[in-house]
Amino acid sequence: MYLADAAWPDLESYFESESIALVPLGSTEQHGPHLPEGTDHLIAEAFAREAADRTGFLRTPPVRIGVSPHHQQFPGTMSVDPPAFRDYVESFTRSLTNHGIDRVIYVNAHGGNITHLREVGRRLREDGTAFAVEWMWDESIPEQVTDAFEHNGPHGGPKETALIQHLHPDLVHEDRLEEARDTGLVEVSEDVGRVHGARTFYDSIENSENGVFGDQTEATAEIGAELFDAASDELVALAEWLDEQPFEGLMPREHV
C-alpha cells in the first residue's frame, strides 16, 4: 500500500492491523556525467515499492533530498543541513506513530544519510516511541556487490550504474560511461585521501575530478537486475522479521 495514493478509511484499516512503515530516502546530487542526480532516491523508491508490493506493508512518500554537502561543487546538487534533516525525519516519523506505527524501516540509498538516520532511530527508541532502523541496499549484499565488479566504487560506480540501467535505462548516458571512468577515480583504496592516518578530504571532488569512483563500464542492466532482486529479498526478510518481534524486545534494556 502506498500511503499517498490511499484514502483515509483504507489507511485506518491498515493501521488497525499492521504497525510497520517503509520510508524511502535518497538524495538529489551529482552522480557523474552518466547518471541522473536523482539516482539515490530512484533506487530507494524502487526497493521500497518492491518490498511493499511483496509484503503488503505500508510505503510512504519518499524523501528525495538528503545530506549532500560533499557534492556541492557540482551543478544541481541539493543538500539539507544535518540538524534540519534529522529533525524533519524524526518529526514525520513521530506523526506516523500517532496512527499506530511503531516500527519503521528507513529504506536508504544515500551514504550521507546513514549516520543521521541512525541518530533519529536512537532518539525514537530511547523514549519508547518506535523502533526505526536504517537499511542500505548494498550493505545487505556486500559479497555479491564485491564479486560483481573488479573496480567497484562508493559513489556513481558500477553498482549504482547497473541498478539505474535496470530500473531507469532511459536516464543513463551510455555514451559517457568511458568518460565517467577515465575522468574519475577507478582504483579506490583505503589510502585515498588519507595522510598519516587522518582523513584529509571533505568533498568528493578532492579525490575525483568528476565526482565518481570505480569503473562504470563494468555495469550492465543484467547485473543490476540480479543485485536488485538479491537486495529486495533481504529487505523483505528484514520487514518480515521486524513484524514478528515483540515491541518490548526492540526497546532499550534496563540499566544494570
Side-chain angles (χ1 to χ4, degrees):
M1 178 182 289
Y2 180 47
L3 187 151
D5 286 347
W8 72 258
D10 305 308
L11 291 167
E12 182 179 39
S13 298
Y14 178 86
F15 294 134
E16 287 175 350
S17 60
E18 302 288 355
S19 59
I20 290 183
L22 301 163
V23 180
L25 304 99
S27 69
T28 298
E29 63 181 24
Q30 72 85 16
H31 274 78
H34 62 302
L35 291 180
E37 304 232 345
T39 289
D40 288 344
H41 71 246
L42 291 171
I43 290 172
E45 289 176 64
F47 278 118
R49 183 183 305 110
E50 178 73 10
D53 288 347
R54 287 172 57 179
T55 63
F57 293 135
L58 185 70
R59 170 173 62 97
T60 74
V63 176
R64 295 186 171 122
I65 300 174
V67 181
S68 305
H70 47 298
H71 297 299
Q72 63 187 330
Q73 289 87 355
F74 297 92
T77 292
M78 301 180 70
S79 184
V80 178
D81 288 339
F85 177 81
R86 291 192 296 267
D87 288 347
Y88 177 71
V89 174
E90 180 179 353
S91 182
F92 73 64
T93 303
R94 289 187 185 277
S95 77
L96 287 172
T97 68
N98 291 334
H99 305 295
I101 295 296
D102 61 16
R103 298 134 213 259
V104 175
I105 299 176
Y106 295 130
V107 182
N108 179 41
H110 174 49
N113 294 341
I114 293 176
T115 58
H116 308 295
L117 293 173
R118 290 177 178 171
E119 172 60 24
V120 170
R122 175 174 288 278
R123 293 181 189 177
L124 295 166
R125 182 172 179 261
E126 285 184 344
D127 64 15
T129 299
F131 183 82
V133 62
E134 183 267 344
W135 178 86
M136 188 86 170
W137 75 270
D138 56 330
E139 292 184 356
S140 74
I141 51 168
E143 292 183 2
Q144 187 166 343
V145 172
T146 298
D147 292 343
F149 309 108
E150 182 178 356
H151 299 289
N152 196 15
H155 182 72
K159 63 185 179 184
E160 290 183 321
T161 302
L163 276 188
I164 298 298
Q165 285 173 324
H166 167 57
L167 297 170
H168 298 278
D170 55 314
L171 297 181
V172 180
H173 296 274
E174 296 284 348
D175 59 333
R176 298 178 186 172
L177 295 182
E178 291 186 4
E179 174 192 350
R181 176 196 63 196
D182 296 343
T183 59
L185 181 65
V186 175
E187 298 282 351
V188 183
S189 70
E190 294 183 358
D191 296 330
V192 172
R194 294 184 181 275
V195 179
H196 299 301
R199 175 172 165 161
T200 59
F201 65 93
Y202 285 92
D203 301 323
S204 61
I205 198 171
E206 295 173 56
N207 293 322
S208 171
E209 285 300 316
N210 69 3
V212 294
F213 304 82
D215 185 351
Q216 292 74 17
T217 65
E218 295 179 359
T220 67
E222 291 72 23
I223 295 176
E226 293 173 0
L227 297 179
F228 182 78
D229 290 345
S232 293
D233 288 345
E234 294 297 320
L235 179 56
V236 167
L238 172 62
E240 293 175 340
W241 172 85
L242 190 57
D243 184 49
E244 295 171 355
Q245 305 309 304
F247 184 71
E248 295 74 16
L250 298 170
M251 292 295 98
R253 298 187 183 185
E254 294 293 330
H255 194 282
V256 295

